Amino acid sequence: MIAYILKSIICMSLLFGVYWFLLRKEKMFIFNRFFLIFSVIFSLLIPVVILPVYLGYRDIPQGLVPFFYRAPETKIVTDQYSEDQLKPEPVVNPRIHDGKQVAENDIIREKRVSLILVLYFTGLSIMIIRFLRNLNYLNNLKRSSEKIDHEWYQIALLENHAGAFSFFNVVFLNRADYLGKKININVLNHELEHVRQAHSIDIVFFEIVNMLFWFNPVFFLYKHAVRLNHEYLADEAVIRNQAETRTYATELINYIKNGSSIRLASGMSPSMIRLRLLMLNTNSAYTRNRSRTIAATTISTLLMIILSIKPAYTSSNEGKKGNKGIKNNDDIITEEVKFRDTDFEKLNSVVVIDGKILNPDDSLTIDVKNIKNIEIIAKRKAVRKYGRQAKNGALEITSNGFANGSAPDSLHFKKIYTINSADISIYGHSGKFVTDSLRVYKKNHSEKPVKILVSNLFSASIWTYPIFHQQDSLKRWRIIELYTRDYFRIKGKVIQRNGQPLRGATINLPERNKRVTANEDGEFFISDVNPGVTAEISAEGYKSLKFKVKPAEFGYKMNITLVGIDEQDPDEKITILNNNLKVFSGTWKFNKEMSTNKDRPYSQYIIRQFDSDSIVLHETIFDKEEINLKNTFHFNTISINSPEEDAIKTIQKCVIGADGKSFFVTLKAVSFIGRFRGYKTVTVFSLNESGDQLTIQNVHFQDPDSIGVNDISVFDKI
């Protein structure tokens, strides 16, 4: 609403600026009249009018479009739990949230909205009372007056009012002046022109709009400009018909003392006399008027188009070269309703199916084939529709068998339903954690109906994505996510390095004030766990382990490894084979014919060696764009990195070979919570006898005892 108000005020101000600088002093009053009226109408409509214009493809998340291309029309993905496992745990003495226990920021927001509404309706009430009072005053004047009927207008003679004014088809005159023939004929003709040109319709229109948008200061400028333009129109008509300009101007000056102060009526206003006299003596060339009319129309049209433009997404990919550069998109609509707060206490939210509110003990059945529409209603709108029990929002589901006249979602959206789905971190080759740009779904795919107890719901959200090229140009993508309360739990097994269970280990969540002990099989289970809390695992005689619980930990059973205090990883030891190393320094270019890795792009190494202490490898890859990589290895050393929040340890060591012609770089990664399977890579750099050929061999160990990929790259010295 705020965006609408700001946009309409900006548009109205810009259009009034066009009138002020181009049209205000020109004798084209009929054009000015309609320009002012339609400027207000368009300013009120433009914020809700959208002109979809293709402005080029905007960046969207990498991996999002490819995922959508292969996604099914509708798919439901569930966690690997049975219906019994989805039942909530019994809650002892659950707190019932009332208005005082709502989050502080929500209360402040509601108070601000309430204050704004009170101010708005107070101003609206004052403006309505003012408008009705003026109408009633004019109606009383008409009722109490002596009336003279003519063919297309009526004269109302007043006893105690000196000025002449008109309202719709009634001209109000002083009775004594009219009967004594003291009213100048040009003054009467001026008021009759107001009647003939229906100026009262304009005045009432602006009064009604001003009532609704009383807070908009630009309306007062429009109202004054419209009234002044009405006077110009009436003056021009009087002079055109019979009056001489100088004589008419003199009559206007003599009539200043009889100026009318009646609101809603058209009459002689003393404040406008000076401007009217100036306009009467202004000469306006036809060519200049026409050029200004064209300029005002063109500028106004451009302004309205610019303010109405919204980028459109087409299904065509003509003229585009793939999806390069696609990274982000801000045209994503998200809606969410929470059924429990961060402490997992029940909120005032409801689930509605076919217009019926479900009880906490009822089951919510998610049947993809039977869902016609699904919608999330905001808090205030939900309260108006379902009462205070929906204070925190509502999830509305309409089945195919329920006829409510609405079109099914399938006409507008391609849908994916997920239950207890979460982003899963995977370990990338860069040595850092990376997350899939959208999400990785569980392996269990099911289109069978899934039942969830309403009391077990935690939240529901709908993500609506824009239309991308190479897709149905009429349908957007929607991902409907449901999370249950028991999704936010961690379970797993505490083991030793040899894989044996560790009985009696303690799992502590200090931020949640929860502590459990592993059973005899080393297994544990903790419910109601917030993402981001710190978990501490400890056992007597073992090194303690800390890590932050991420959504990825909710999706599987963890194997948490504790290492004995005196235990040491074999890879943490250095066996010095040789301190003397042949010289690797120089420039080396890739030899594709002698390499086993034929797909490797052409590259070049520049190597600098510092005696037998360290070596710097500067690699340049010449592919579609030049990529430069730089690595420094210190011989016979170990580097250990252990990010505490991820419970991961990486070990890198560099050892000179026994023959002095090679050195080995070992990289090993270990996850103590089983987020990924540990792996190990050994890269061997070796020289031939003549020292003019460099061989780089990579050996990947997928498991501790198995060898995976083994590729060899050969480089010639230049």
Side-chain angles (χ1 to χ4, degrees), residues 493-522:
K493 187 176 183 180
V494 183
I495 60 175
Q496 305 173 56
R497 178 166 277 177
N498 59 9
Q500 295 299 314
L502 186 55
R503 179 181 179 181
T506 300
I507 299 90
N508 182 27
L509 303 180
E511 297 163 48
R512 294 289 294 155
N513 197 23
K514 293 193 174 188
R515 180 190 294 267
V516 299
T517 302
N519 62 17
E520 59 183 9
D521 295 323

Side-chain angles (χ1 to χ4, degrees), residues 584-592 595 600-608 616-623 625-631 685 694 696 713-718:
F584 281 71
S585 295
T587 302
W588 307 82
K589 67 175 182 179
F590 180 56
N591 187 328
K592 186 175 182 179
S595 302
R600 176 172 181 151
Y602 177 75
S603 61
Q604 178 177 289
Y605 270 107
I606 297 177
I607 300 177
R608 295 180 62 195
V616 178
L617 289 78
H618 189 148
E619 182 183 14
T620 303
I621 300 174
F622 303 96
D623 196 6
E625 56 180 302
E626 186 175 306
I627 300 175
N628 291 284
L629 304 173
K630 185 177 180 181
N631 286 302
F685 296 82
L694 169 67
I696 302 176
S713 299
V714 178
F715 291 80
D716 296 325
K717 193 169 187 177
I718 57 175

Side-chain angles (χ1 to χ4, degrees), residues 14-24 32 35-36 225 229:
L14 292 174
L15 292 176
F16 188 81
V18 173
Y19 166 79
W20 184 265
F21 290 106
L22 292 180
L23 308 176
R24 176 172 56 101
N32 288 355
F35 180 87
L36 291 169
N229 193 66

Side-chain angles (χ1 to χ4, degrees), residues 372-439:
K372 180 181 180 182
N373 302 99
I374 187 164
E375 183 179 0
I376 290 175
I377 302 180
K379 302 173 185 178
R380 187 171 297 278
K381 183 178 178 182
V383 170
R384 289 199 297 265
K385 195 169 184 179
Y386 300 111
R388 296 291 294 177
Q389 61 182 327
K391 184 175 181 179
N392 290 93
L395 174 66
E396 279 190 338
I397 300 175
T398 306
S399 65
N400 290 324
F402 187 75
N404 64 347
S406 61
D409 278 349
S410 57
L411 292 181
H412 308 287
F413 306 104
K414 295 186 176 184
K415 306 180 297 299
I416 297 176
Y417 293 83
T418 72
I419 297 178
N420 289 344
S421 171
D423 290 340
I424 296 178
S425 297
I426 57 175
Y427 199 83
H429 293 294
S430 62
K432 299 179 180 179
F433 272 105
V434 296
T435 304
D436 185 271
S437 59
L438 189 61
R439 56 183 48 78

Side-chain angles (χ1 to χ4, degrees), residues 351-381:
V351 179
V352 183
I353 296 183
D354 294 340
K356 177 186 175 183
I357 299 177
L358 299 185
N359 295 319
D361 296 332
D362 292 337
S363 293
L364 169 63
T365 302
I366 304 297
D367 185 357
V368 174
K369 298 178 181 177
N370 194 37
I371 293 180
K372 180 181 180 182
N373 302 99
I374 187 164
E375 183 179 0
I376 290 175
I377 302 180
K379 302 173 185 178
R380 187 171 297 278
K381 183 178 178 182

Side-chain angles (χ1 to χ4, degrees), residues 520-535:
E520 59 183 9
D521 295 323
E523 296 178 341
F524 67 92
F525 179 91
I526 305 179
S527 61
D528 293 348
V529 180
N530 301 86
V533 300
T534 301

Side-chain angles (χ1 to χ4, degrees), residues 283-295:
N283 294 320
S284 185
Y286 172 78
T287 304
R288 187 174 68 177
N289 287 352
R290 185 173 182 181
S291 62
R292 287 178 178 257
T293 301
I294 295 173

